[in-house]
């Protein structure tokens, strides 16, 4: 029996009436950071959050982050929700340059699935994807698809 402090009366507590949350184990889910966002590239065709808002892509991107945030890093990579490139693209395969504020030894990759060509390039450390470039025209790692 527990004492109801507000009225000084004794009341009975119902046992086992609360549904317990089931723990599926400790899963370190993906998180996202804009700490290294570079809105100055590619030169002459800079991609910014405001530009993505104006083009109607920003909402798609936010929804994509929401979808990815229920996955672990390994799940996202295995399911090809994130593409891991490892190194920064060679100069003849990109319109971007490696920003000075990002370490040389990071695992570069992209978030795809933002509605066609748009990609978000960045790097992965532990369970955090650091957004570095917005790439609405598939110019971070140029392929035949992006031409």
């Amino acid at each position: 029996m527990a004492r109801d402090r507000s009225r000084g009366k004794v009341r009975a507590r119902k046992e086992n009436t609360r549904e317990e949350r089931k723990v599926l184990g400790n899963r370190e889910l993906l998180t996202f950071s804009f700490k290294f966002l570079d809105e100055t590239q590619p030169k002459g065709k800079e991609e910014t959050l405001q530009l993505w808002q104006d083009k109607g892509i920003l909402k798609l991107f936010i929804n994509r982050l929401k979808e990815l945030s229920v996955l672990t890093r390994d799940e996202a990579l295995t399911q090809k929700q994130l593409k891991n490139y490892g190194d920064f693209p060679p100069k003849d395969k990109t319109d971007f340059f490696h920003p000075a504020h990002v370490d040389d030894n990071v695992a570069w990759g992209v978030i795809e699935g933002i509605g066609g060509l748009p990609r978000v390039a960045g790097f992965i450390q532990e369970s955090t994807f650091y957004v570095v470039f917005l790439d609405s025209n598939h110019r971070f790692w140029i392929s035949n698809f992006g031409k």
Side-chain angles (χ1 to χ4, degrees):
M1 296 270 181
R3 182 168 289 281
D4 184 340
R5 294 180 185 169
S6 62
R7 298 190 183 119
K9 298 179 184 176
V10 175
R11 59 180 167 81
R13 178 178 177 215
K14 294 181 182 179
E15 303 256 344
N16 299 324
T17 58
R18 187 176 92 184
E19 286 188 35
E20 297 294 328
R21 292 183 181 172
K22 293 181 182 176
V23 177
L24 299 175
N26 289 335
R27 294 175 61 225
E28 194 168 346
L29 300 178
L30 276 174
T31 58
F32 303 92
S33 174
F34 291 80
K35 177 180 178 179
F36 297 104
L37 180 63
D38 182 346
E39 295 180 292
T40 68
Q41 295 193 52
K43 287 293 180 200
K45 297 179 183 177
E46 293 80 5
E47 301 239 358
T48 65
L49 291 170
Q50 184 61 55
L51 176 69
W52 276 40
Q53 173 69 29
D54 296 345
K55 286 183 165 187
I57 305 171
L58 188 59
K59 183 176 181 179
L60 296 171
F61 173 44
I62 298 300
N63 287 336
R64 188 71 176 116
L65 293 181
K66 183 178 173 187
E67 293 167 1
L68 291 170
S69 68
V70 299
L71 301 174
T72 65
R73 172 190 174 156
D74 289 341
E75 289 169 342
L77 290 169
T78 301
Q79 295 174 20
K80 301 189 186 315
Q81 303 290 319
L82 293 178
K83 185 181 268 186
N84 186 7
Y85 292 135
D87 295 331
F88 196 83
K91 290 181 182 182
D92 65 333
K93 293 284 187 187
T94 187
D95 287 346
F96 295 83
F97 59 87
H98 192 289
H101 65 278
V102 175
D103 189 58
D104 289 333
N105 301 318
V106 297
W108 286 91
V110 294
I111 298 171
E112 299 178 328
I114 307 172
L117 285 178
R119 310 278 192 268
V120 172
F123 61 93
I124 305 166
Q125 286 185 334
E126 297 178 12
S127 65
T128 302
F129 185 93
Y130 291 89
V131 174
V132 181
F133 303 121
L134 304 175
D135 178 17
S136 65
N137 295 309
H138 196 271
R139 306 305 293 172
F140 178 70
W141 198 299
I142 301 167
S143 65
N144 290 334
F145 179 72
K147 289 184 178 180

